[in-house]
Amino acid sequence: MRGHLQHRGGDAWRIKVYLGRSADGRKRYLERTVRGTRRDAEREMARLVVEVDDGRHAASAPMTFSELLDRWMEVKRANVAPRTIESYEWIASNYLRPRLGDRKLAGLRTMDLDELYAELHASGLSARTVRICHTVVRQSLEQARRWGLIARSPAIDATPPRSIRAEVTPPTVDEVVQLLDAAYEADPAFGVFLWVKSATGCRSGEICALRWSDVDLDRPELSIRRAITQVGRELIEKDTKTHQSRRVALDEATVGLLRQHRLRQREEALALGERVADDALLFATHEGRPWRPDVCTNRFGRLRAGLGLERVRLHDLRHFVASVLIAGGGIAGIAAAVRL
C-alpha cells in the first residue's frame, strides 16, 4: 500500500494513503497534514502505511455520528429495557448530537472526545453524567467497528472524568421514626410503603410492583419478582434490576403492619362493594393501577421538607436496615418507637 506526499508550503506537508473502496464503491483515503522537514513527513507517511497494512484504518462509510446513533439505538432496543433506551436518547439529544452529530465517523478522533468530555464537565455536568455520555459514545462506535464502518474506535483511548462515589450516609433511627410517624399520620398506606422500604431494603419500583401473591405472612417472606419502571408517562412492569428474583425475610413488626394494611385495604374495597383479589397490588390507586415510583419520590420530598430532613433521600432508606443491623440494633426496637 503506497502513500502520496504533497508539499503545502513552508514546513507543511499533506499525506494521503489509499485505504481502498468504501461500501458504496468510492475510493477512500487517509489524509493528514503534518509539519516539519520532508524527512519528518516521510517517516509519518511510512508509519501510516504500516498502520493501514495492519488493518488499523478502514475505508469508512461517509456516515455521520448522528446517523450512527440512530442505527445503534434500533439495535439496542431489542436488547435493553425501554427506560435505558429513553435515557440514552436523552443523553444523545442533549449532549452528543449538538456537538458531534454532523461529524463524519472517519473524522472522529480521541482528542475530539476528550475535548467534549472536558467541556461538558466544565459546564457543570456531573462526572457521572459525562461518563454516561461516554458509555453511549463508546458502545455506538464499537458497534460501528463491528459493522466494518471504522477500523478502530477512538473511544477506546478516551478519558472521561473519574466519578467518585459519594459515601452513603443512612438516616438515623430518630430521623426514620420521624418520617414514618408523619407519613402514617398523613396516609397509612404511604407509611406502610416507607416502612417496607426501610425494613427490607427493596427498591421503590420493586415495592410498587408487589402483589399479595408475592407475600407469605406465615413463613414469613416477600418474593421480589418484578419492578415498576417508567418510560415517559407510561408505567411498565419488568423484571428486577438484577434480572433475578429473590426472597426477603420479614420481621415480626413488618408482618403485623402488613396484616393491618391488608385488612384496611379489604375494608376500603368492601365499602365500595368490591373485593381485593388474591394477586392485588399492595400499593395501588383507586383505579387499581400501581403507584408511580416518581410520585412516591415526590411525596417523600414534601414529607422530609416539612420535617426539615432535606438531607435524607428516599433511596437512603434502602441502606437503613443494614446500618441498624450492623450497629447491633433491630427492627423491633424501631417498631416500638413508631406510632403505627
Side-chain angles (χ1 to χ4, degrees):
M1 178 110 22
R2 300 298 298 275
H4 175 71
L5 189 64
Q6 180 184 10
H7 188 212
R8 302 296 297 274
D11 63 348
W13 302 84
R14 188 65 172 170
I15 299 171
K16 196 172 182 180
V17 179
Y18 179 66
L19 294 175
R21 295 185 181 273
S22 63
D24 59 2
R26 292 194 298 173
K27 291 183 178 181
R28 307 294 295 178
Y29 295 90
L30 173 65
E31 298 186 31
R32 297 280 174 82
T33 297
V34 298
R35 293 187 176 277
T37 65
R38 182 181 183 90
R39 191 173 189 81
D40 293 332
E42 288 175 341
R43 279 198 295 264
E44 177 65 12
M45 183 174 67
R47 185 184 68 81
L48 291 176
V49 168
V50 170
E51 288 186 357
V52 170
D53 287 340
D54 288 343
R56 294 177 59 184
H57 299 274
S60 302
M63 179 184 288
T64 65
F65 185 65
S66 185
E67 291 170 335
L68 171 64
L69 285 174
D70 290 337
R71 296 193 183 187
W72 174 72
M73 292 283 187
E74 288 302 317
V75 172
K76 295 296 286 186
R77 280 190 178 89
N79 301 297
V80 301
R83 183 66 181 271
T84 303
I85 286 293
E86 184 182 45
S87 67
Y88 284 170
E89 289 178 334
W90 189 87
I91 286 288
S93 175
N94 286 276
Y95 303 121
L96 302 181
R97 294 186 195 272
R99 296 167 173 83
L100 299 177
D102 294 335
R103 296 288 300 273
K104 299 292 186 182
L105 295 184
L108 277 179
R109 299 285 179 264
T110 300
M111 182 174 63
D112 301 326
L113 303 181
D114 284 343
E115 288 177 351
L116 169 65
Y117 301 152
E119 175 190 337
L120 292 174
H121 197 31
S123 71
L125 208 61
S126 69
R128 179 178 180 274
T129 304
V130 176
R131 292 189 70 85
I132 296 175
C133 293
H134 175 61
T135 295
V136 174
V137 171
R138 177 177 54 79
Q139 290 190 16
S140 59
L141 288 174
E142 178 59 21
Q143 185 65 61
R145 185 197 64 78
R146 288 194 291 265
W147 283 337
L149 301 176
I150 55 177
R152 190 173 188 274
S153 168
I156 292 177
D157 297 320
T159 311
R162 291 181 58 191
S163 181
I164 301 176
R165 186 180 293 274
E167 182 179 354
V168 176
T169 305
T172 65
V173 171
D174 288 341
E175 289 171 336
V176 172
V177 168
Q178 289 183 63
L179 289 164
L180 292 173
D181 276 342
Y184 196 82
E185 183 177 354
D187 178 5
F190 191 54
V192 174
F193 176 90
L194 293 185
W195 176 274
V196 172
K197 189 172 183 67
S198 302
T200 66
C202 291
R203 298 177 175 86
S204 294
E206 294 171 343
I207 300 174
C208 289
L210 276 176
R211 296 180 178 273
W212 286 112
S213 54
D214 300 321
V215 182
D216 188 335
L217 297 180
D218 296 322
R219 294 194 66 158
E221 64 183 19
L222 292 179
S223 294
I224 308 299
R225 300 187 176 99
R226 66 194 77 82
I228 296 295
T229 189
Q230 297 167 230
V231 179
R233 299 293 296 175
E234 183 181 1
L235 294 183
I236 296 176
E237 188 175 275
K238 66 177 189 64
D239 58 359
T240 64
K241 187 172 183 178
T242 59
H243 306 292
Q244 294 180 333
S245 61
R246 67 185 189 279
R247 293 180 179 180
V248 180
L250 299 176
D251 61 277
E252 185 178 346
T254 303
V255 169
L257 198 61
L258 287 174
R259 290 189 190 279
Q260 294 177 19
H261 179 59
R262 184 168 60 181
L263 178 60
R264 187 166 47 247
Q265 204 177 56
R266 286 173 175 173
E267 290 174 344
E268 291 173 354
L270 186 61
L272 298 174
E274 300 175 355
R275 62 177 295 275
V276 177
D278 293 339
D279 64 344
L281 291 159
L282 270 67
F283 303 101
T285 65
H286 293 301
E287 296 80 14
R289 292 193 292 269
W291 283 8
R292 298 175 61 93
D294 64 335
V295 172
C296 295
T297 300
N298 292 337
R299 290 184 68 179
F300 182 81
R302 293 192 295 271
L303 179 71
R304 70 177 184 180
L307 297 172
L309 299 175
E310 283 83 356
R311 83 164 191 88
V312 182
R313 304 172 304 163
L314 179 58
H315 186 74
D316 294 338
L317 296 184
R318 287 195 63 211
H319 306 283
F320 173 71
V321 65
S323 68
V324 169
L325 295 176
I326 291 172
I331 296 298
I334 301 168
V338 180
R339 300 186 300 274
L340 299 186

